[in-house]
Amino acid sequence: MQPLTLGFSPCPNDTFVFHALVHGLVDSAPPVEVRFADIDVLNDLAASAALDVVKVSYAALPWLLDDYVLLDSGGAVGRGCGPLLLTADGRPTAALAGARVAVPGRRTTAYLLLRLWAQGALELGQVDVLPFEQIMPAVRDGRYDAGLVIHESRFTYPSYGLHQAVDLGEWWESATGLPIPLGAILARRSLGEAGIALLDKAIRRSVEMAWADPSLSREYVLAHSQELDPAVADAHIALYVNEFTRGLGSEGREAATQLLSRAAQAGLVPATAI
């Protein structure tokens, strides 16, 4: 059987989730061939329908659902895990008007949340896309006034001497009462209903196997993580891999629907139905 092409990030939550599937430990699961990439690259690969299964930003879904279907398992939705807007000088948010900002991608959920938050409050200045691991050094070194960070940067930004200006996840939860829909898992529609259902079940089982014995994936997780401290990797996994990763459920799907409907009403994305 030809392996399915599977794209996800090298971050600890993704390598933890997909370890069992990638290593052929899930019974009856299709074989997969992995493509590691930063989330902005994955969004672009999905836009060209280059992969069979792919982790993408929820913010990118309006441009992807003609070719892909949203899976129930494997994604990143949660509470207390939203993106952070950081500065080097601890300036108040009102002083961010016109700020030069580094972001991890224009179709990332992080950037969409930033734009929703900023609407009616302030107008940002120059916005540039950088690989997420370059954002904190760029802010620290004065190349940007602020940086929008995701992943394990949530745990490590104080070591760069940076300050939190806005917790966009906290803002979203306060505004909606819903969890933050960050990363979605999509499967190509051409795999067919039976193939997609089998894949969704296999990913759910991979999550459950990772929880049952975290030591099995430890070497794989640390080999690909930007942050080599095992304690940081463990904190990252504990925050981003949760019951919504096992299955979105009605609350997870409502969070995604609310994000995209609010963004569409604000004219930030095309209207779409999940």
Side-chain angles (χ1 to χ4, degrees):
M1 181 180 180
Q2 184 74 14
L4 298 178
T5 52
L6 168 63
F8 55 86
S9 84
C11 293
N13 62 310
D14 284 350
T15 48
F16 181 80
V17 162
F18 288 106
H19 171 265
L21 179 63
V22 168
H23 291 84
L25 303 178
V26 181
D27 290 341
S28 302
V32 296
E33 180 181 286
V34 176
R35 169 76 181 269
F36 287 110
D38 186 68
I39 190 63
D40 194 44
V41 175
L42 292 170
N43 287 340
D44 287 343
L45 288 169
S48 60
L51 299 168
D52 295 314
V53 190
V54 58
K55 170 83 171 284
V56 300
S57 302
Y58 269 100
L61 260 58
W63 292 273
L64 303 177
L65 292 180
D66 284 346
D67 293 310
Y68 290 96
V69 62
L70 174 64
L71 297 187
D72 196 51
S73 301
V77 176
R79 297 183 183 277
C81 59
L84 305 178
L85 187 65
L86 305 177
T87 68
D89 54 12
R91 69 180 69 182
T93 55
L96 291 171
R100 297 167 299 145
V101 183
V103 303
R106 291 189 181 275
R107 288 188 178 175
T108 59
T109 305
Y111 185 46
L112 184 57
L113 286 171
L114 177 63
R115 295 170 76 195
L116 285 170
W117 168 80
Q119 278 203 332
L122 55 87
E123 184 173 343
L124 300 173
Q126 176 182 331
V127 174
D128 291 336
V129 174
L130 296 183
F132 85 91
E133 72 275 8
Q134 295 179 21
I135 291 176
M136 292 193 295
V139 177
R140 177 198 61 198
D141 297 342
R143 292 170 50 204
Y144 292 91
D145 301 311
L148 185 61
V149 300
I150 54 177
H151 302 319
E152 55 261 50
S153 301
R154 182 176 189 88
F155 307 105
T156 60
Y157 74 85
S159 67
Y160 289 81
L162 301 181
H163 304 268
Q164 176 184 306
V166 184
D167 183 328
L168 290 166
E170 185 178 275
W171 167 78
W172 168 261
E173 290 181 60
S174 176
T176 68
L178 293 166
I180 309 116
L182 297 170
I185 307 298
L186 304 184
R188 197 193 299 274
R189 290 185 182 274
S190 60
L191 295 174
E193 287 187 16
I196 291 169
L198 177 64
L199 185 60
D200 212 354
K201 182 179 178 181
I203 294 173
R204 181 179 295 106
R205 182 60 183 145
S206 188
V207 174
E208 292 169 346
M209 292 176 72
W211 277 335
D213 189 351
S215 66
L216 291 177
S217 63
R218 175 53 63 91
E219 183 178 349
Y220 185 63
V221 167
L222 294 179
H224 295 285
S225 176
Q226 295 284 344
E227 174 54 61
L228 297 180
D229 183 345
V232 172
D234 287 346
H236 183 118
I237 291 166
L239 186 60
Y240 291 99
V241 184
N242 52 49
E243 283 301 322
F244 292 110
T245 313
R246 188 202 303 268
L248 281 173
S250 58
E251 189 177 26
R253 287 188 176 268
E254 176 61 19
T257 297
Q258 280 290 323
L259 174 69
L260 296 180
S261 64
R262 286 171 182 245
Q265 289 168 12
L268 302 178
V269 304
T272 191
I274 296 176

